[in-house]
Amino acid sequence: HEHHHEHDEHCGCGHEHHHHHHAQEVFVSWGAETTREFSPEELQAMLSQLADEERFGLVLRAKGIVCAGGAEWLHFDYVPGEPELRSGSPAVIGRLCVIGSRLKQAALTELFGISRRA
């Protein structure tokens, strides 16, 4: 990727900067709904992989809620280097959202084991 570092000076730390004029061009989101169950260990391992920019694009934030089996639900927040998992209130369906730049949607779909409908 010849443009690998083009926007790094104002992306990546999760804080606001004064370079907002490119935000709509740079940031995209990927989202999915799922009935899949995730163990805490499995979800933690998945979130730790999001730092792999070559594989997934530049992930600035990820958040969601997924079923851990039965009545157990996991809420998660991710910023680079800081995945956070906690038990939380149930939802009707699991939801995942990833925000970043140059996101590789097929790789995210594969990582989280989501079957996408066309």
Side-chain angles (χ1 to χ4, degrees):
H1 300 287
E2 64 271 6
H3 299 293
H4 183 71
H5 296 286
E6 183 176 318
H7 300 290
D8 289 356
E9 69 274 7
H10 62 276
C11 299
C13 71
H15 296 105
E16 287 191 32
H17 293 271
H18 300 289
H19 303 284
H20 295 290
H21 57 281
H22 292 298
Q24 288 185 323
E25 300 170 322
V26 176
F27 302 115
V28 295
S29 64
W30 170 90
E33 292 184 337
T34 183
T35 56
R36 183 175 188 261
E37 294 181 0
F38 297 79
S39 72
E41 298 78 17
E42 177 185 31
L43 186 56
Q44 186 76 32
M46 290 172 171
L47 294 176
S48 68
Q49 292 180 56
L50 292 176
D52 186 345
E53 187 175 341
E54 185 69 30
R55 185 171 168 205
F56 300 108
L58 179 62
V59 175
L60 300 174
R61 177 130 197 254
K63 61 182 183 172
I65 176 173
V66 295
C67 185
E72 292 290 314
W73 286 79
L74 296 171
H75 294 238
F76 69 88
D77 282 291
Y78 169 88
V79 293
E82 297 183 37
E84 180 186 317
L85 233 58
R86 63 198 176 282
S87 294
S89 56
V92 175
I93 193 165
R95 297 178 189 271
L96 306 111
C97 179
V98 178
I99 301 164
S101 178
R102 302 178 310 275
L103 294 181
K104 299 181 180 177
Q105 297 187 16
L108 292 167
T109 299
E110 183 181 335
L111 173 68
F112 290 108
I114 307 297
S115 55
R116 302 296 294 236
R117 293 189 187 123

